[in-house]
Amino acid sequence: MALQQVIAGIDNENQIRLECEITGLYKATSYGAIVDTGFSGGLVLPQVIAVDIGLETVGAGNVTLADGSIRTLPMYMCKVKIGDVIQETDTLVMGNDVLIGMNVIDQFTLIVNGPKGQVSVEGAESAAGIRNALIQNPHDRLVNTLKKLTGR
Amino acid sequence: MIKALSQDLISQAKEIYERLKPTIEKKNWGEYIAIDPISKEYFIAPKLADAMRTARDKYPDRQFFSERIGFKSAVSFSYSHLHLT
């Protein structure tokens, strides 16, 4: 699916960044957010940005942090626009960077050209189809079964 | 005014989730749940934002406890649940 041009690339710390517009209760602002495929949620915002744009509090949830510890943290909602795709997504407030996680990225196809430092972003019209195809793969079926058994 | 989730309400929501677990893990594994500890109602959706939005639409003045069904947390950093050793 053709997507309005999205500015994306690899920064000098080897992180993939893409331009997004984040809309809170008070205002909208654009950021070059880091794509964090290790983050299963939607969005992470630093406190200073969260206060600036205003976030809607929706409650709390358990969050597994990178060190493996689990904490119950406040959860918020805001809108994120990438290209011409607008999503309302779950949001955490922590750290110093704007992170975009898999709950947002799973709507898109990202193609990374490492040697050229280029990243292209497309709408993922067939994301569900790809996921279903992966589930049919015997290895993924095994992994999914193990996940169900272990709960991890 | 929005009723914030106290530690007590979070504990109640976690208890509700533990009670629901045997049933919903079979049917909705990998989906998300938002629990209202006051009404004890819960809302399940494939995406966390959808579960929270449905809950908020029904009870706009309340807050909800969220989990990913079958997982230890609603969201995670580093996504290490595939470690099998």
Side-chain angles (χ1 to χ4, degrees):
Chain A
M1 186 172 71
L3 196 67
Q4 183 186 312
Q5 181 73 34
V6 178
I7 299 170
I10 301 173
D11 69 11
N12 55 11
E13 291 181 30
N14 258 352
Q15 300 168 131
I16 295 172
R17 287 184 183 264
L18 61 85
E19 187 188 42
C20 63
E21 185 184 87
I22 298 166
T23 305
L25 295 169
Y26 313 134
K27 66 179 189 182
T29 320
S30 292
Y31 298 98
I34 296 171
V35 175
D36 186 349
T37 56
F39 173 49
S40 70
L43 202 64
V44 177
L45 294 179
Q47 190 164 28
V48 63
I49 293 173
V51 169
D52 187 40
I53 65 168
L55 294 180
E56 180 188 359
T57 313
V58 282
N62 283 342
V63 178
T64 304
L65 301 175
D67 64 0
S69 64
I70 296 175
R71 288 176 60 192
T72 303
L73 297 177
M75 290 206 160
Y76 305 88
M77 296 270 269
C78 70
K79 284 184 182 151
V80 58
K81 181 181 177 193
I82 298 171
D84 45 14
V85 177
I86 301 172
Q87 299 178 63
E88 193 173 30
T89 190
D90 54 284
T91 306
L92 294 175
V93 176
M94 60 168 62
N96 301 312
D97 272 309
V98 178
L99 305 181
I100 292 182
M102 289 306 293
N103 268 349
V104 170
I105 287 302
D106 66 4
Q107 303 298 307
F108 300 92
T109 301
L110 263 68
I111 299 167
V112 180
N113 184 335
K116 289 186 177 173
Q118 293 173 343
V119 178
S120 62
V121 183
E122 295 169 20
E125 57 190 332
S126 59
I130 292 167
R131 199 172 293 126
N132 289 338
L134 285 173
I135 289 169
Q136 297 310 312
N137 173 308
H139 173 263
D140 291 294
R141 213 162 44 222
L142 171 65
V143 169
N144 278 322
T145 305
L146 289 168
K147 281 196 284 190
K148 283 182 185 176
L149 289 172
T150 60
R152 292 193 299 170
Chain B
M1 190 175 153
I2 293 178
K3 188 167 176 55
L5 273 187
S6 64
Q7 206 53 48
D8 193 39
L9 286 174
I10 289 173
S11 300
Q12 287 179 38
K14 286 180 179 176
E15 282 172 22
I16 292 168
Y17 179 68
E18 288 301 317
R19 279 202 299 272
L20 290 169
K21 246 166 101 170
T23 317
I24 59 175
E25 279 191 354
K26 285 179 192 157
K27 255 178 68 181
N28 304 95
W29 188 87
E31 295 190 326
Y32 295 89
I33 185 169
I35 300 168
D36 172 26
I38 297 170
S39 68
K40 299 185 177 20
E41 271 185 75
Y42 58 94
F43 306 86
I44 293 173
K47 297 207 77 162
L48 176 55
D50 293 336
M52 294 195 300
R53 189 185 308 112
T54 312
R56 178 199 60 191
D57 288 349
K58 178 145 191 197
Y59 297 108
D61 58 343
R62 293 185 190 167
Q63 292 191 7
F64 311 93
F65 179 77
S66 302
E67 274 289 9
R68 189 171 188 197
I69 298 166
F71 289 71
K72 290 178 178 173
S73 54
V75 297
S76 63
F77 289 88
S78 83
Y79 216 62
S80 59
H81 69 275
L82 287 177
H83 291 178
L84 303 174
T85 52

